[in-house]
Amino acid sequence: MPELIRRPFVFLRHGQSTSNLAQRIAGQRDVPLTAQGEHEARQAATLLAAIDWPLIVSSPLARARRTAELATGRAPHCLVGGLKERDWGTYEERPIPETMPYLLAPDGGERWDDFVTRIVATLNALLLEHETPLVVGHSGLIRVIRYLDTGTPEGPRTDNAIPQWVAPRGVRSWEIRPLQEEDVAHLPRVTASS
């Protein structure tokens, strides 16, 4: 199993997308935010827009990119293809099943192990260069962290547009919880000249 560099970051899942609303698997389909999703992203700005982030990165998919813009008041520093959601192959556009087959390889899609390797390599490259970056992406990223932490991707879906603090805990565990002001108190604040 690949290892994630043990440095904290802030994760923001995109706001509600048209696929979320329809309860369908989007995967790597480039679907937009709904009006509700845009509202959710603007709500995240209450905490995120005041911070002068050392790095704001986003998946290039429109739902994540737009969320990053609305939640921070500016465009991401860069779009990172490695942050895209898992390619669900023939599952894309299908209704979300009660139990997702995370560990199975979807026809024409990305194997779970390949997805984990991609997400970990992408995060490691970011964490090696930047302290406490803001990463805007998809729920699959948190499933990967959960898998590294507990050995299973199963668990509740990450809420749309609720900033999450993702940090090492102990020797091998990871903490994933809603972001609090004190988590990012060490980061500079946006000033009028920024």
Side-chain angles (χ1 to χ4, degrees), residues 31-62:
V31 298
L33 295 177
T34 63
Q36 174 66 28
E38 292 208 356
H39 173 74
E40 291 167 346
R42 286 187 188 95
Q43 290 293 109
T46 304
L47 181 57
L48 302 180
I51 299 167
D52 190 9
W53 294 96
L55 180 69
I56 302 168
V57 295
S58 172
S59 157
L61 297 177

Side-chain angles (χ1 to χ4, degrees), residues 140-188:
L141 183 146
I142 290 296
R143 294 209 177 274
V144 167
I145 304 294
R146 188 177 292 137
Y147 176 73
L148 297 176
D149 186 40
T150 67
T152 180
E154 301 295 335
R157 185 174 297 276
T158 305
D159 291 331
N160 292 99
I162 301 293
Q164 300 292 311
W165 178 246
V166 182
R169 179 179 56 205
V171 177
R172 296 198 53 83
S173 296
W174 286 88
E175 175 181 32
I176 305 167
R177 62 165 170 73
L179 181 68
Q180 298 170 9
E181 179 66 37
E182 55 267 20
D183 297 326
V184 290
H186 67 285
L187 294 174

Side-chain angles (χ1 to χ4, degrees), residues 15-89:
Q16 183 190 65
S17 70
T18 54
S19 291
N20 294 149
L21 181 62
Q23 296 186 353
R24 295 190 170 272
I25 298 170
Q28 292 194 359
R29 289 182 52 243
D30 204 6
V31 298
L33 295 177
T34 63
Q36 174 66 28
E38 292 208 356
H39 173 74
E40 291 167 346
R42 286 187 188 95
Q43 290 293 109
T46 304
L47 181 57
L48 302 180
I51 299 167
D52 190 9
W53 294 96
L55 180 69
I56 302 168
V57 295
S58 172
S59 157
L61 297 177
R63 60 195 185 267
R65 187 180 68 246
R66 182 70 176 143
T67 297
E69 292 166 356
L70 293 171
T72 64
R74 53 199 175 277
H77 293 108
C78 59
L79 303 177
V80 179
L83 292 174
K84 282 185 179 179
E85 181 61 283
R86 183 179 180 184
D87 179 347
W88 278 96

